[in-house]
C-alpha cells in the first residue's frame, strides 16, 4: 500500500506491507524504495515493512527552496514524523548508504529494536592534500568567473565546472538537491554512534569505494553492540552483489 506523509512543506511517499513487528527501510542517495525492494522482501516474511522515498527522490517532493538547506537532521525528522503518524514503536531500522546516516541519527535518540547499516555513510572521509588543492582552486575560479562574466553568467559556468569535477550523484541532482548533497556528505556522525544502544549489524562489500570498509570497522568500534559482516567481491550495493549471502545474514539477524 502506498501512502503519503505531509511535513515541513514536503510530501513523502512510503509503502506499507506485511504484518508483524515494524521495520523501516531507507534507501541511499539517488535511489528510491524500489532500489531496496530485495531488502524489503526479506523482511516481509515476519515483519510489517515501511519503505520510504526520501524527500527529493522517487515520488516524494524536494525540500522547499525557501527553507534552509536540508541536512541529515531534517531527513531524520521526517522518519520520526512517519513513526508518530503510523504509531511505530521500537522498530528495526535498515539503512543503505545515505539511509544509514538517517538510521544512525534516529537510533541515537529514539528507542529501536535493532539497526542494520548496509554500506552506510556517516564517517567523514579523511581528506588528502590533493582534495584541499582542488577546493581552493575551485573557490578562486568562482571569484574569477563572477568578476569576468557577472553574477548570473558566472554562476552558470561555476555549475558547469562543478558538474564536471563532482560525482555523478552531484551531476545528476537538481540545484536544491546539489545543495543538500554538499551539506550531508560533510556531516560526521561518529559522535552519535556510541549513543546507539540497540544491537547493530553492519553489512558491507569489501570492494566498496563509496563508503570503504574502513568506515565499517570504525563504526563497529564506536557502536557498543555492533558486529560486521563483509562480503568478498561486493561493492557499494552488497545487497545486490551477493543476494543470497545478504539474505541469509539479514534474515538471521532480524528474526
Amino acid at each position: 500500500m502506498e501512502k503519503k506523509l505531509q511535513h515541513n512543506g514536503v510530501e513523502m511517499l512510503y509503502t506499507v506491507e506485511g504484518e508483524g513487528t515494524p521495520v523501516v527501510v531507507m534507501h541511499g542517495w539517488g535511489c528510491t524504495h524500489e532500489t531496496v525492494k530485495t531488502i524489503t522482501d526479506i523482511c516481509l516474511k515476519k515483519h510489517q515493512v515501511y519503505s520510504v522515498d526520501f524527500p527529493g527522490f522517487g515520488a516524494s517532493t524536494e525540500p522547499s527552496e525557501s527553507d534552509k538547506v536540508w541536512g541529515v537532521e531534517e531527513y531524520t525528522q521526517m522518519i520520526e514524523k512517519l513513526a508518530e503518524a503510523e504509531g511505530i514503536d521500537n522498530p528495526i531500522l535498515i539503512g543503505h548508504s545515505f539511509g544509514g546516516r538517517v538510521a544512525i541519527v534516529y537510533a541515537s535518540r529514539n528507542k529501536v529494536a535493532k539497526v542494520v547499516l548496509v554500506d552506510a555513510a556517516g564517517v567523514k572521509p579523511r581528506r588528502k592534500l590533493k582534495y584541499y588543492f582542488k577546493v581552493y582552486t575551485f573557490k578562486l575560479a568562482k571569484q574569477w568567473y563572477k568578476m569576468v562574466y557577472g553574477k548570473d553568467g558566472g554562476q552558470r559556468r561555476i555549475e558547469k565546472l562543478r558538474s564536471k569535477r563532482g560525482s555523478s550523484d552531484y551531476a545528476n541532482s537538481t540545484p536544491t538537491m546539489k545543495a543538500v548533497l554538499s551539506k550531508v556528505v560533510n556531516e560526521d556522525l561518529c559522535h552519535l554512534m556510541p549513543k546507539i544502544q540497540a544491537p547493530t549489524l553492519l553489512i558491507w562489500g569489501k570492494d566498496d569505494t563509496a563508503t570503504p570498509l574502513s568506515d565499517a570497522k570504525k563504526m563497529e568500534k564506536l557502536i557498543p553492540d555492533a558486529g560486521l559482516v563483509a562480503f568478498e567481491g561486493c561493492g557499494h550495493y552488497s545487497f545486490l552483489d551477493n543476494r543470497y549471502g545478504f539474505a541469509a545474514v539479514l534474515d538471521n539477524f532480524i528474526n
Side-chain angles (χ1 to χ4, degrees), residues 69-128:
V69 176
W70 273 36
V72 182
E73 172 61 29
E74 286 73 25
Y75 280 92
T76 305
Q77 289 176 15
M78 288 296 296
I79 301 302
E80 289 173 333
K81 285 295 178 182
L82 170 64
E84 181 183 329
E86 290 286 346
I88 300 171
D89 182 48
N90 203 28
I92 296 172
L93 300 181
I94 303 178
H96 170 245
S97 193
F98 173 72
R101 288 184 181 273
V102 178
I104 290 167
V105 177
Y106 188 104
S108 72
R109 66 192 192 202
N110 294 285
K111 185 180 179 183
V112 298
K114 295 179 181 179
V115 180
V116 183
L117 301 176
V118 184
D119 300 296
V123 176
K124 188 174 181 178
R126 287 184 177 181
R127 306 298 192 184
K128 296 181 180 179

Side-chain angles (χ1 to χ4, degrees), residues 5-38:
L5 174 71
Q6 301 275 354
H7 176 64
N8 207 11
V10 170
E11 183 176 82
M12 184 176 76
L13 178 137
Y14 63 98
T15 62
V16 185
E17 297 179 85
E19 295 181 356
T21 54
V23 175
V24 180
V25 180
M26 296 170 285
H27 64 77
W29 191 271
C31 301
T32 70
H33 73 279
E34 292 288 348
T35 312
V36 290
K37 189 177 184 306
T38 55

Side-chain angles (χ1 to χ4, degrees), residues 69 131 134-143 145-146 151-183 185-186:
V69 176
Y131 168 82
K134 283 178 63 179
V135 169
Y136 288 111
T137 301
F138 182 72
K139 287 183 177 181
L140 288 172
K142 283 173 64 176
Q143 294 177 358
Y145 277 136
K146 288 181 179 179
K151 183 178 180 181
D152 293 338
Q155 190 61 41
R156 286 195 297 271
R157 285 167 173 81
I158 289 165
E159 285 302 322
K160 188 175 181 180
L161 178 64
R162 185 183 273 126
S163 295
K164 286 182 178 179
R165 290 190 174 186
S167 66
S168 59
D169 281 339
Y170 186 87
N172 295 327
S173 297
T174 65
T176 297
M177 298 310 292
K178 283 177 180 176
V180 174
L181 178 60
S182 295
K183 183 174 182 178
V185 296
N186 288 305

Side-chain angles (χ1 to χ4, degrees), residues 193-241:
M193 295 175 191
K195 297 180 180 180
I196 299 175
Q197 298 303 308
T200 301
L201 173 63
L202 309 169
I203 309 180
W204 238 259
K206 287 188 176 181
D207 297 334
D208 189 341
T209 56
T211 52
L213 187 60
S214 58
D215 288 6
K217 292 178 178 179
K218 187 169 186 178
M219 291 181 184
E220 186 182 22
K221 290 180 179 178
L222 291 173
I223 299 172
D225 186 8
L228 170 63
V229 175
F231 292 119
E232 295 278 359
C234 294
H236 191 54
Y237 291 80
S238 58
F239 62 97
L240 296 177
D241 293 340

